Amino acid sequence: MDSSLARLPSRPLAGAEKVAAILLALDRDVAQRLLKHFDQVELRRIAKVAASLGTVPAAVMEQLIEDLIGQLSMDGADLMGTLGQAEALLMGVVPEEQVAEIMSEVLGKSNEHFWRRLSTIPETTLAEYFSKEHPQTIAAVASKVDPAVAAKFLALLPSSVRNDVMRRMLTSGPISDSALRLLEAALQDDLMGAGASSSSTGASRKVAAIVNQMDSNQIEEILQAVAETEPAIAEDLKGMLFTFEDIPSLSPRARAILLDQVPTDRLIIALRGANESLRSAILPSLSARMRRMVEAELTAGDPPPRREIIKAQRAIAETVLKLSESGVVDLRESAA
């Protein structure tokens, strides 16, 4: 018998044990913020249950979360009814005024889990499904899944649809919670059954993350399509785009910061697909010892597959964008 199974209690987890398990699974800061609202009696009860809970195998926690997600999505058209099922899990364990706060955290985790699962579906399947859907629906989904996944399935759609989707992502407002629950329920049934940003800047960043992973021809098509109706937004979007070939445009300081963040093996793979001009712009930013090592690796062995080179180059470009978004580097700073 599996030793982890032997440690399980002979009875199902009780309500208080489920609450303790959920609190332990939450981010520490979130859990501590919730616990500050408990009175001394409740804190002692939670502490006692948590201390005696023992080891709960990952599979048991996953089943607990899956059960909760299942209860919350049984009636996607009635969000209040779904919350009622979840409240029954917590009532009598925590104060009524805290039930909503805990469920807010749990719902957030559940939604993240749903979109992560959706992101594992092959892009060909997603493209085939969404080719029959309205562009607004596609835009809503593209704003929620991983940018790499969105880029892949959008690239398989007709350019006219793809361009329309991008325009809608840039100009549409946020999705209401009730509409999002309906969308999740429909996707659950259709694809897995057998918070878009409210600001134009947030939407532009999401679109930029997707567009950055498309090929140059598709990027140009999208920029032209957006510029036809929203030239200001197109210019804003263009300023957020960055590819590996744009590294020479970075200031020496930004290049040094970037290369300090990039693993050496990834940089070598990316440079194996770069021309001499691009290599000459990047290598001087390395230390003398690191430059000698990289140059030696670039001349040794057979080149890696093209897909590995593209993957490495895109990862480095994404690093630049993350550094820019966090304010560490400024893409507008001159390279001169």
Side-chain angles (χ1 to χ4, degrees):
M1 178 182 292
D2 190 316
S3 59
S4 65
L5 294 179
R7 292 193 296 271
L8 288 175
S10 58
R11 55 179 175 73
L13 290 178
E17 292 170 330
K18 291 180 180 180
V19 172
I22 290 174
L23 286 170
L24 290 171
L26 289 173
D27 178 85
R28 180 179 296 180
D29 290 340
V30 174
Q32 289 178 344
R33 189 166 67 249
L34 292 173
L35 289 171
K36 288 180 180 178
H37 298 284
F38 288 13
D39 63 29
Q40 291 300 313
V41 174
E42 292 159 347
L43 285 173
R44 284 196 295 272
R45 183 177 184 184
I46 292 294
K48 181 178 179 180
V49 171
S52 61
L53 195 59
T55 300
V56 180
V60 175
M61 281 302 304
E62 290 173 0
Q63 186 59 54
L64 174 60
I65 295 172
E66 287 288 351
D67 290 344
L68 184 57
I69 293 173
Q71 293 179 46
L72 295 175
S73 59
M74 287 178 65
D75 185 5
D78 187 352
L79 182 60
M80 292 305 296
T82 298
L83 286 176
Q85 295 175 21
E87 288 173 351
L89 185 69
L90 301 176
M91 282 300 185
V93 179
V94 295
E96 290 187 12
E97 63 269 18
Q98 298 307 318
V99 171
E101 187 172 359
I102 290 178
M103 287 311 305
S104 175
E105 300 292 345
V106 175
L107 277 170
K109 295 292 183 182
S110 301
N111 290 341
E112 291 173 9
H113 178 74
F114 172 84
W115 292 107
R116 283 198 301 271
R117 288 177 59 200
L118 188 67
S119 295
T120 65
I121 297 176
E123 60 268 21
T124 52
T125 301
L126 292 175
E128 180 180 1
Y129 177 83
F130 288 115
S131 65
K132 306 178 183 68
E133 297 297 320
H134 192 278
Q136 190 63 43
T137 300
I138 305 174
V141 172
S143 71
K144 299 294 293 182
V145 299
D146 184 89
V149 174
K152 289 178 180 178
F153 85 75
L154 288 175
L156 299 177
L157 297 178
S159 61
S160 59
V161 175
R162 183 170 58 245
N163 296 338
D164 191 9
V165 168
M166 293 302 177
R167 281 197 297 265
R168 290 172 183 273
M169 289 182 69
L170 289 164
T171 59
S172 298
I175 310 170
S176 67
D177 287 342
S178 59
L180 187 58
R181 297 294 173 267
L182 288 170
L183 176 60
E184 290 170 354
L187 295 176
Q188 174 72 38
D189 291 340
D190 294 346
L191 291 172
M192 295 185 291
S197 174
S198 62
S199 68
S200 60
T201 299
S204 295
R205 286 174 178 165
K206 183 70 176 183
V207 172
I210 296 173
V211 174
N212 262 299
Q213 302 195 47
M214 297 181 176
D215 62 45
S216 57
N217 291 335
Q218 291 170 340
I219 291 175
E220 189 60 31
E221 280 185 7
I222 290 169
L223 288 175
Q224 291 179 358
V226 174
E228 289 177 0
T229 56
E230 304 288 345
I233 293 180
E235 191 64 26
D236 183 45
L237 175 62
K238 185 176 181 180
M240 295 181 180
L241 299 179
F242 190 92
T243 66
F244 183 74
E245 289 75 16
D246 293 327
I247 289 180
S249 67
L250 295 175
S251 68
R253 172 183 170 277
R255 262 178 275 172
I257 293 174
L258 167 65
L259 296 176
D260 186 57
Q261 298 284 324
V262 175
T264 305
D265 57 344
R266 179 178 296 166
L267 177 62
I268 292 171
I269 294 174
L271 288 174
R272 293 295 290 265
N275 56 40
E276 287 299 325
S277 175
L278 185 53
R279 289 184 182 182
S280 298
I282 295 175
L283 290 174
S285 298
L286 300 172
S287 67
R289 183 183 65 83
M290 184 64 67
R291 178 174 179 174
R292 287 194 298 271
M293 185 184 76
V294 171
E295 288 177 333
E297 290 291 332
L298 291 177
T299 59
D302 296 327
R306 181 64 183 167
R307 64 178 179 276
E308 293 299 324
I309 293 174
I310 293 175
K311 181 180 178 181
Q313 291 181 347
R314 284 178 174 170
I316 293 174
E318 289 174 7
T319 300
V320 175
L321 292 171
K322 289 177 181 178
L323 291 172
S324 173
E325 187 171 347
S326 62
V328 177
V329 302
D330 187 351
L331 297 183
R332 298 167 297 180
E333 191 175 347
S334 173

